Amino acid sequence: MTTDLVVSSVLITLALVFYTLGVWAERIQGYLKPWHVVAFWTGLAFDTAGTYAMSLLTEGGVDWADFHTLTGQLAIWLMFGHAVWATWVMWKGTDQARADFQRYSFVVWIIWLVPYFGGMIMGIRNA
């Protein structure tokens, strides 16, 4: 296993840790808090960095028609939209909006898991 692959895998796993921590803490606490928003942005940053690092490992460039690439891009854009919306709800939203936001967070997290585990399975199969 190359150092580049290890670095990219660690970055993607840190995305999983931070994003999952933010989503589940918000879900359990039942209310969007500032530190949840920080966890969402941190998870997005690690996911973006890890995805970029992974793209550097592909021979011949990224295949934009590949299912994993498409689901990964969808997940990153959903995470971005989620983090932006969470930021807005945190500072401008009502108490009810902060209480209800966890439903959206959970759906985005579930969708994000598809390319995460898909990439893991692809890595195992190609090892």
Side-chain angles (χ1 to χ4, degrees):
M1 186 180 293
T2 68
T3 303
D4 295 338
L5 182 58
V6 171
V7 168
S8 56
S9 296
V10 167
L11 289 170
I12 295 288
T13 301
L14 285 170
L16 174 70
V17 168
F18 279 95
Y19 206 64
T20 300
L21 176 67
V23 168
W24 278 99
E26 177 197 10
R27 188 168 178 82
I28 290 167
Q29 294 172 356
Y31 194 82
L32 182 64
K33 296 180 179 178
W35 77 267
H36 300 142
V37 177
V38 171
F40 299 153
W41 282 106
T42 304
L44 174 62
F46 279 123
D47 193 32
T48 303
T51 299
Y52 176 71
M54 288 281 184
S55 76
L56 297 176
L57 298 174
T58 61
E59 294 178 19
V62 175
D63 178 5
W64 293 102
D66 179 70
F67 180 75
H68 180 67
T69 302
L70 293 173
T71 59
Q73 285 299 306
L74 172 65
I76 286 177
W77 284 108
L78 278 172
M79 287 174 73
F80 177 73
H82 174 251
V84 168
W85 191 7
T87 302
W88 186 88
V89 168
M90 187 66 249
W91 280 275
K92 301 284 186 185
T94 64
D95 282 342
Q96 186 63 47
R98 287 186 202 111
D100 292 341
F101 194 78
Q102 52 88 19
R103 289 185 219 142
Y104 175 65
S105 297
F106 189 72
V107 169
V108 172
W109 178 76
I110 291 292
I111 293 169
W112 183 82
L113 290 176
V114 172
Y116 179 83
F117 285 114
M120 183 187 302
I121 291 167
M122 284 174 33
I124 291 170
R125 291 173 101 188
N126 293 334

